Amino acid sequence: MTKQIMCINWGTRYGAPYINRLYQMVARNITPPFKFVCYTDIRQGVRDEVICHDLPPMPGEMPKNTRGKWPKSRLWAETLPDLEGPVLFLDLDVVITGSLDDFFSFGAPEDVVLARNVAKPFHKLGQTSIYRMPVGALADLQRAFAEDPQAVADTYKWEQVFVTKTAPNGVKFWPKRWVRHFRIECIPLFPLNYFIEPRLPRDARVVIFAGVPNPADAAIGQFSDSLPYLPPLQHIARAARQARKFQSLRRYVLPSQWVRAIWQDTAD
C-alpha cells in the first residue's frame, strides 16, 4: 500500500520552507512507498519530491471574524487531484518525532480519525492538525458549509469542532500518547517553565503546535514575534509592563533543544 500524505498552504505565513521541512520529517519517519501531496498557492522553492497542485476551490465565501482555519474545508471535496482512498493530513507546523506507519493501519480504512483536543478534554473534541480520512468522506460537510459558511463558522467557531460534531458516522481518535500538544503537554507548568526546558513526551510521534508558539519560536525560546526570547528576569520585567501581566508572565518558554535539532536538521 502506498501511504498518502497531504498538506495545504495558502498565503505567506509558511510557504516552501515549511512544506520542505514537513516532507523531510515525513520521509524520515515512514516506511515507503509513500506519496506526499501539497495543495498550495505557491510552488517556487518547493522540493521536487513534493507533488504540488493548485488549491481546490473554496466552498463558498470565506467566513469573516472567525479564528478557525476554514480554508481547510477545501480538502473536504468529493475528489482531490492525485489522491484516492485513505489519506493522512498534516499541518505544516507540526514536528514529527516518531514513526507514522501506525497512523495508516489504525482503525478501519473508512474511518475519520482525529487527534484529541487536549485543551478541552471533557468536551471530547477533535484536533485536525493531524487527521486521516478517505477522500470524499467529508463531502457532505463541504456542501453544508458552502450553503452558508458564515452561519457554520458562527455556530461551530472552529472547523475541527464542525468536523467532530457532524462527520458522517462520527470520528475516532488517535491513541493519546501518539499526538502531543506542545504548549499544553510539553512546556512545564508555571513557574517551572522558567527553569525546565520543554520535554518530549515518551512515545510521542507527532507534536502539534496549535496556537502559539510555532516550532521556529519554540526552538529559540519565544512564544511569538511580539514576545521575543529574554532571560527569565528580563521577561518578568517585561511582563510587569503588559496590560495582561499574569498572562504575559506565564507565557515563557526556554529554548527547546529537541525542537531545534529536528527543525535545523530538516531545513533546506
Side-chain angles (χ1 to χ4, degrees), residues 60-115:
E61 189 173 327
M62 176 68 70
K64 297 178 176 60
N65 300 319
T66 181
R67 299 174 67 187
K69 299 295 189 294
W70 293 99
K72 286 185 180 181
S73 62
R74 297 170 182 268
L75 304 178
W76 304 341
E78 195 76 54
T79 61
L80 291 171
D82 252 313
L83 294 173
E84 59 180 19
V87 57
L88 183 69
F89 171 85
L90 290 163
D91 269 346
L92 291 173
D93 60 352
V94 304
V95 171
I96 300 174
T97 59
S99 174
L100 295 174
D101 289 350
D102 289 338
F103 287 94
F104 294 91
S105 58
F106 180 84
E110 65 270 19
D111 289 339
V112 176
V113 192
L114 281 63

Side-chain angles (χ1 to χ4, degrees), residues 127-185:
Q127 170 72 265
T128 56
S129 292
I130 171 171
Y131 72 92
R132 195 191 75 213
M133 68 170 183
V135 173
L138 301 181
D140 286 347
L141 273 68
Q142 190 184 70
R143 285 187 280 270
F145 177 73
E147 289 179 3
D148 195 339
Q150 191 62 57
V152 171
D154 290 343
T155 299
Y156 294 95
K157 310 300 182 188
W158 304 89
E159 51 82 26
Q160 58 203 23
V161 177
F162 184 49
V163 172
T164 304
K165 292 185 175 294
T166 65
N169 304 314
V171 300
K172 293 184 177 179
F173 298 105
W174 307 117
K176 185 179 185 298
R177 66 185 185 278
W178 289 6
V179 182
R180 298 295 189 147
H181 190 300
F182 181 80
R183 187 180 72 254
I184 296 173
E185 298 182 287

Side-chain angles (χ1 to χ4, degrees), residues 26-48:
V26 167
R28 295 179 184 191
N29 291 282
I30 199 169
T31 303
F34 72 94
K35 177 191 293 187
F36 188 102
V37 178
C38 182
Y39 300 101
T40 177
D41 53 3
I42 64 100
R43 302 192 187 197
Q44 185 175 1
V46 178
R47 57 189 301 146
D48 293 340

